[in-house]
Amino acid sequence: MDCIFCHIVSGKIPSDIVYQDEKVIAFRDINPQSPVHLLVIPREHFTSLADLTEKEAHLMGHMVGVANQLARDEGISGTGYRLVINCGKQGGQLVPHLHLHVMGGRQLSGQLG
Ligand code: AMP
């Protein structure tokens, strides 16, 4: 499958990986919107959040747990941060492989869109 994030998972495309385990991989966003901007993605390809069912509840829980640990590692846990999943075209999703944005290190806008 010609998916850029699958290519990052396989190592075909280089990325600045900050964490990986058997289920997920996390790397720095190539176009950061905040001083800390990481992406946590499942190794398995899901096109978007809409592909997940109750069966994958453990995966989302794990992604949030990893995101929280990374926020602590990056020193933004105390000041606050934002976890975002864009889903589909009108949700602002550009890369069709499920990913959780971890953003912080500056005052983020209160606007949701
Ligand atoms: P979204 O709009 O939620 O689909 O966000 C996609 C994100 O992926 C954007 O913030 C991009 O900057 C980021 N991105 C795209 N290609 C790469 C890449 N090769 N390495 C790291 N981040 C990427």
Side-chain angles (χ1 to χ4, degrees):
M1 185 185 299
D2 197 24
C3 165
I4 189 165
F5 285 180
C6 283
H7 289 329
I8 285 177
V9 168
S10 71
K12 193 170 157 193
I13 290 179
S15 62
D16 189 354
I17 294 172
V18 294
Y19 175 83
Q20 53 185 319
D21 63 27
E22 72 283 357
K23 289 197 204 112
V24 303
I25 176 166
F27 50 92
R28 294 192 191 281
D29 195 292
I30 204 167
N31 182 25
Q33 303 299 307
S34 48
V36 175
H37 189 171
L38 309 174
L39 300 173
V40 181
I41 73 169
R43 287 183 180 274
E44 185 178 347
H45 182 89
F46 295 93
T47 300
S48 81
L49 186 66
D51 284 359
L52 298 189
T53 66
E54 191 65 30
K55 197 158 57 77
E56 284 83 32
H58 66 284
L59 176 63
M60 274 311 303
H62 184 56
M63 287 171 68
V64 170
V66 167
N68 285 342
Q69 182 57 52
L70 290 171
R72 286 190 285 274
D73 295 346
E74 295 282 324
I76 57 170
S77 194
T79 45
Y81 53 101
R82 183 171 292 170
L83 303 185
V84 174
I85 296 178
N86 296 323
C87 179
K89 186 168 178 286
Q90 291 200 347
Q93 183 180 5
L94 296 174
V95 176
H97 181 127
L98 174 64
H99 51 281
L100 175 62
H101 294 259
V102 184
M103 303 173 69
R106 68 169 170 84
Q107 182 61 54
L108 298 170
S109 130
Q111 292 178 4
L112 284 177

